[in-house]
Amino acid sequence: MAERCASERRIGGVGAGPRSNPHGLTPQEEQITARVADGATNSEVARELSLSTKTVEYHLTRVYRKLGVKTRQALREHLG
């Protein structure tokens, strides 16, 4: 139970020190971005991270805006 709580806090960025992510992504956005960049679908990401597909879509939209991209391909190229 304690590990689950710690994981939830990390994902949500609660209690985190200064962010090392140059793009200003939250820990959850980073997780989603990494999986999408590896070719996972929204449904696959949702299943892996125990999220709804809508939540993945929401975070991915925010990632696209923060990185200035509009497609998965552009995301992969940006992270290149």
Side-chain angles (χ1 to χ4, degrees):
M1 183 68 154
E3 178 55 37
R4 172 76 180 183
C5 289
S7 174
E8 292 291 329
R9 290 176 57 84
R10 277 192 306 277
I11 289 169
V14 175
R19 296 193 193 271
S20 61
N21 184 303
H23 305 292
L25 300 180
T26 66
Q28 192 160 51
E29 289 169 348
E30 288 181 27
Q31 288 182 320
I32 291 168
T33 299
R35 284 165 175 82
V36 168
D38 285 340
T41 66
N42 290 358
S43 295
E44 292 168 339
V45 174
R47 211 172 17 259
E48 270 185 61
L49 300 178
S50 300
L51 301 169
S52 74
T53 304
K54 286 289 187 189
T55 299
V56 172
E57 291 170 6
Y58 169 79
H59 286 297
L60 201 49
T61 297
R62 290 179 49 88
V63 167
Y64 284 4
R65 189 176 323 124
K66 287 178 180 182
L67 300 182
V69 299
K70 295 186 181 196
T71 65
R72 283 173 129 72
Q73 182 61 37
L75 177 64
R76 283 187 208 95
E77 291 170 6
H78 182 81
L79 298 174

